Amino acid sequence: MQNNLKDKTILIGITGGIAAYKICELIRMYKKAGANVKVVMTKNALNFVTKLTLETLSDNKVFVENFETQEREYSPEHISLCDEADIMVIAPASANTISKIATGICDNLLTSVVCAFNKPVIIAPAMNTNMWNNKIIQKNISILKENNYHILEPETGELACKTTGKGRLCDLNLIFEKTSEILGANAVGSGKLKGKKVLITAGGTIEKIDTVRYISNFSSGKMGIALADEAYKQGADVTLIITKPVETPYKTVYVQSAEEMQREVLKSGLKSDLVIMAAAVADFRAETVSKQKIKKTSADTMTLNLVKNPDILKNLCEQKKKTKNKKTVIVGFCAESENLLKNAKEKIAKKGCDYLIANDISKKDSGFSSDYNEVYILDKNGKKSHIERSLKTVIAQKILEKVFE
Ligand code: PMT
């Protein structure tokens, strides 16, 4: 795996929460990868972890309040810390600090630093489930997302308050990977895929029924986005065709239906060196889309006629064969809830693609919507390899490594 952290300065913001102790391990992980780590913490965080511990692990002075360092050349601390850091990681982020950042309040050093920080910020919240579910906190999280803060949502599990629910700080590996991914994307240009054109599809297609209803699936787009981010990081010229608007440093094309997606894929697919179809394309759509909201009638049942959608992957592979294209490598995904390998073997032959990435979508916390996946890579000659359950960012690196071998 590429080390994007070496010689980078990571500014960690720690707020008051029991998960603050876990950040000691995160600091060790960053240091091991060769990063310089600075820490700024709130006064409340001092109740959970000591300044001395963090200073010892980070090899740097830890900052708590404004204007406390006299020995430095004069420079307001929140500005000098911002200048030095390449990225800021706030973990654990309390409901209090999240709300302050979302509303621009700067009443301590940490919130002043975030407000002045114009580089990427990762926020990993951790709190009690009811606080996480509070509509005001959720609204503030949405504000942060809209403003390009990278939110790593908390996990579900046992909490310090002896309840079970969503609120635990996410896996430290996820924070580490996200930091590496962002720093890698910012240092784009030197990678192995320089000069390669890569087209990737992501997300579940949206097939309208009427003006307010649609058929779709649980695909979040995470797998496709991880592939696109990784290809971009390695220097490729990336286009991501996706069913939800996303902010990326590379080109994205927003589509909804399978027909719209097919139009875009067939337009530029064979001009690319690599096409990866990670999107979950609906096999069927409504035969007619009502121009008005369909009214409820007195009948207890309703029949919706569905017609088959085009098979984009198969059509692209047929186009490749017809045009005797030798350049484009086409990779499909295969989502199965049973007989994974048997069905994947049949699917690669039916679709005619070069590689098929088979994932078992019946597994808990893997596949659809999860940050993790576990896959088999099949090639058209019948060879297969396995990638064990890992973050989708890691799976993406391994898939690209394999297909560009
Ligand atoms: O988005 P995430 O939440 O991260 O989840 C990732 C994922 C589980 C959606 C992803 O890993 C995945 O498996 N994507 C493919 C889902 C799917 O539609 O699988 P399938 O077995 O039904 O289709 C096989 C292939 O044909 C896929 O590459 C699909 O994009 C393509 N297809 C399918 C139907 C269709 N009408 N046209 C197509 O091109």
Side-chain angles (χ1 to χ4, degrees):
M1 200 194 305
Q2 236 174 295
N3 180 3
N4 302 318
L5 271 55
K6 190 155 172 31
D7 299 328
K8 291 287 186 326
T9 298
I10 301 168
L11 177 59
I12 303 186
I14 307 178
T15 76
I18 181 68
Y21 80 90
K22 295 185 180 171
I23 306 310
C24 298
E25 183 55 29
L26 184 65
I27 295 173
R28 285 163 63 99
M29 290 161 78
Y30 285 147
K31 293 285 288 179
K32 237 176 163 174
N36 177 29
V37 179
K38 299 242 164 168
V39 177
V40 54
M41 61 200 296
T42 62
K43 267 188 180 167
N44 285 338
L46 283 171
N47 294 321
F48 297 94
V49 62
T50 71
K51 223 171 146 182
L52 180 62
T53 309
L54 299 167
E55 284 182 344
T56 309
L57 292 171
S58 68
D59 265 336
N60 270 316
K61 180 172 167 51
V62 167
F63 297 87
V64 184
E65 275 305 331
N66 282 316
F67 307 114
E68 70 173 11
T69 331
Q70 301 304 327
E71 71 265 26
R72 307 174 103 211
E73 201 177 297
Y74 181 76
S75 161
E77 271 157 8
H78 65 282
I79 301 300
S80 57
L81 282 170
C82 291
D83 288 346
E84 289 161 16
D86 295 291
I87 191 165
M88 182 163 187
V89 178
I90 306 174
S94 65
N96 183 34
T97 295
I98 284 168
S99 301
K100 284 182 188 175
I101 301 170
T103 48
I105 292 173
C106 311
D107 64 351
N108 60 26
L109 183 60
L110 193 154
T111 47
S112 305
V113 169
V114 192
C115 191
F117 201 73
N118 60 1
K119 285 165 268 184
V121 180
I122 296 174
I123 296 184
M127 63 194 75
N128 160 275
T129 306
N130 291 344
M131 288 170 88
W132 174 253
N133 289 334
N134 182 301
K135 283 191 180 145
I136 297 170
I137 302 301
Q138 281 307 310
K139 198 168 160 205
N140 289 336
I141 291 282
S142 304
I143 293 173
L144 295 179
K145 282 184 183 168
E146 282 160 21
N147 286 283
N148 295 329
Y149 288 88
H150 301 271
I151 307 291
L152 295 178
E153 296 220 352
E155 286 182 351
T156 300
E158 201 183 313
L159 302 170
C161 51
K162 309 278 181 285
T163 57
T164 300
K166 193 165 178 176
R168 278 165 67 100
L169 182 72
C170 69
D171 189 334
L172 294 183
N173 286 313
L174 193 59
I175 305 178
F176 182 88
E177 284 296 333
K178 192 76 193 169
T179 315
S180 169
E181 180 190 317
I182 294 170
L183 288 174
N186 284 356
V188 72
S190 55
K192 286 182 273 183
L193 303 188
K194 214 168 170 191
K196 300 277 183 204
K197 258 176 118 51
V198 174
L199 181 76
I200 292 167
T201 67
T205 60
I206 293 166
E207 312 294 339
K208 282 190 180 163
I209 297 171
D210 63 16
T211 49
V212 292
R213 302 178 178 100
Y214 60 83
I215 301 169
S216 193
N217 55 64
F218 292 111
S219 167
S220 61
K222 285 180 185 172
M223 190 65 245
I225 293 171
L227 284 158
D229 284 351
E230 183 57 31
Y232 176 75
K233 219 162 43 177
Q234 295 188 25
D237 171 4
V238 177
T239 301
L240 176 68
I241 300 174
I242 184 159
T243 56
K244 63 175 189 185
V246 280
E247 281 280 329
T248 64
Y250 44 82
K251 184 179 170 194
T252 56
V253 181
Y254 171 53
V255 297
Q256 289 196 323
S257 65
E259 287 184 309
E260 284 171 19
M261 185 175 277
Q262 164 150 289
R263 218 170 298 133
E264 293 299 328
V265 169
L266 296 187
K267 197 161 77 186
S268 52
L270 297 186
K271 292 180 196 146
S272 311
D273 296 284
L274 172 67
V275 178
I276 307 183
M277 290 279 310
V281 183
D283 286 321
F284 292 91
R285 66 176 186 278
E287 188 171 25
T288 52
V289 178
S290 168
K291 291 202 170 63
Q292 303 296 335
K293 180 182 169 211
I294 298 170
K295 287 254 172 264
K296 187 161 71 180
T297 65
S298 56
D300 287 337
T301 59
M302 179 196 163
T303 305
L304 183 67
N305 275 341
L306 300 178
V307 290
K308 237 185 186 161
N309 260 332
D311 189 325
I312 309 171
L313 179 61
K314 191 161 176 252
N315 291 343
L316 182 72
C317 294
E318 277 170 7
Q319 203 186 54
K320 175 177 163 173
K321 211 168 153 193
K322 235 187 260 165
T323 56
K324 300 195 169 55
N325 170 308
K326 295 260 180 288
K327 146 180 153 164
T328 311
V329 175
I330 303 178
V331 181
F333 264 78
C334 171
E336 298 292 338
S337 55
E338 55 183 349
N339 302 324
L340 180 65
L341 287 172
K342 180 177 171 286
N343 290 336
K345 269 185 206 156
E346 284 169 17
K347 210 169 261 181
I348 193 169
K350 214 161 80 190
K351 303 259 185 183
C353 50
D354 299 294
Y355 293 91
L356 195 72
I357 316 296
N359 44 196
D360 183 342
I361 50 162
S362 68
K363 288 201 172 160
K364 223 177 144 205
D365 201 12
S366 172
F368 273 100
S369 293
S370 167
D371 289 318
Y372 293 85
N373 210 353
E374 179 187 349
V375 304
Y376 288 89
I377 305 180
L378 277 70
D379 72 17
K380 60 182 175 192
N381 303 317
K383 273 202 196 141
K384 78 166 195 285
S385 54
H386 177 237
I387 309 177
E388 63 187 24
R389 183 178 181 274
S390 345
L391 285 166
K392 282 181 176 166
T393 49
V394 176
I395 301 267
Q397 284 166 0
K398 296 195 172 160
I399 291 173
L400 288 176
E401 209 171 281
K402 183 81 189 167
V403 300
F404 278 114
E405 212 164 55

